[in-house]
Amino acid sequence: LNGQNLKEHLWKNRVILIITTDSESENYASQLEEFKMHNQEFEERKLIAYKVLPNKYKLQSNTDNSWVKDSDLHATYNPSNSDFRLILIGLDGGIKIEQNVLLTAKELFLTIDAMPMRRAEIKNEP
């Protein structure tokens, strides 16, 4: 896990980075919309999402709408400066999904639910 702000999530949260160079990008808007109605599924999977722009980022669910000024996240996880990029980081800090196209919530949840740690979580749920 690069970026000081992401280290706090190690072993606590799975992290999705929704990265764009243009906040008006169709792919970016579509991705945000795709995840919008899945708060419960995100919570069950210890999943949090960050919106990442070239010079700032914020937690998607952040209600105060404040951005943190920072260019490291964008530079680290989007070195080719792609218009749109999505990255899933597992509980262990490893990158599990890395792509430049829309990821459906269903694909995301199937991927996470197939992970050994998630299967153990499901097995241990009351």
Side-chain angles (χ1 to χ4, degrees), residues 24-58:
E24 304 296 315
S25 156
E26 191 176 317
N27 283 336
Y28 178 70
S30 296
Q31 189 65 72
L32 295 176
E33 192 62 33
E34 174 66 22
F35 291 158
K36 199 176 185 175
M37 300 301 176
H38 296 281
N39 292 339
Q40 183 176 345
E41 291 93 337
F42 268 57
E43 199 174 304
E44 287 169 6
R45 290 168 179 82
K46 301 178 185 174
L47 187 59
I48 57 171
Y50 280 95
K51 300 181 205 180
V52 182
L53 296 172
N55 296 312
K56 60 187 179 179
Y57 69 88
K58 77 172 181 173

Side-chain angles (χ1 to χ4, degrees), residues 27 30-32 34 84 86 99-104 107:
N27 283 336
S30 296
Q31 189 65 72
L32 295 176
E34 174 66 22
F84 175 78
L86 184 127
Q99 62 187 51
N100 294 337
V101 294
L102 183 85
L103 178 68
T104 67
E107 288 173 290

